[in-house]
């Protein structure tokens, strides 16, 4: 989530570093979370806010260091982008 310039920078970073990932940017001036995004055809939805994990994705993970807005007791947490890559590889092998 972010503003247009912020989303553009995120999209560019994802393209350079994780070309296999599909980036869906959400302008926070238009939506307050990401529940409206259809994630049913994905293997993983990852976000640094627990409030955004209410999607129909078959697997979700929290990204980053634990903060009040992303505390969870169950489920996957990725602290680094290497963790994300490992989780994606694990999930791909399960499908």
């Amino acid at each position: 989530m972010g503003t247009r310039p912020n989303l553009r920078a995120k999209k560019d970073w994802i393209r350079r570093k994780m070309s296999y990932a599909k980036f869906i940017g959400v302008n926070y001036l238009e939506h307050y979370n990401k529940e409206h995004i259809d994630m049913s055809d994905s293997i993983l939805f990852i976000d640094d806010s627990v409030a955004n994990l209410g999607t129909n994705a078959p697997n979700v993970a929290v990204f980053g260091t634990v903060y009040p807005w992303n505390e969870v007791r169950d489920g996957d947490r990725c602290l680094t982008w290497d963790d994300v890559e490992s989780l994606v590889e694990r999930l791909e092998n399960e499908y």
Side-chain angles (χ1 to χ4, degrees):
M1 294 189 74
T3 61
R4 288 188 191 275
N6 176 263
L7 293 172
R8 194 173 311 112
K10 287 180 182 182
K11 184 176 184 176
D12 290 344
W13 189 93
I14 292 288
R15 279 189 185 153
R16 285 192 319 273
K17 303 287 185 176
M18 304 172 76
S19 60
Y20 57 85
K22 179 179 179 184
F23 176 78
I24 301 171
V26 176
N27 189 320
Y28 70 76
L29 298 175
E30 298 170 12
H31 300 279
Y32 64 94
N33 64 28
K34 299 176 183 177
E35 291 178 349
H36 66 285
I37 300 171
D38 180 10
M39 299 292 295
S40 60
D41 65 344
S42 67
I43 62 167
L44 175 66
F45 179 75
I46 187 165
D47 202 278
D48 67 340
S49 174
V50 173
N52 289 325
L53 297 180
T55 73
N56 62 346
N59 300 284
V60 296
V62 179
F63 182 82
T65 304
V66 177
Y67 293 103
W69 65 85
N70 71 10
E71 283 186 282
V72 292
R73 290 185 168 49
D74 298 325
D76 290 301
R77 175 176 294 275
C78 298
L79 296 174
T80 67
W81 290 106
D82 288 335
D83 292 346
V84 172
E85 189 171 32
S86 295
L87 179 56
V88 168
E89 288 172 357
R90 187 187 91 212
L91 292 171
E92 285 178 330
N93 289 331
E94 290 176 7
Y95 283 85

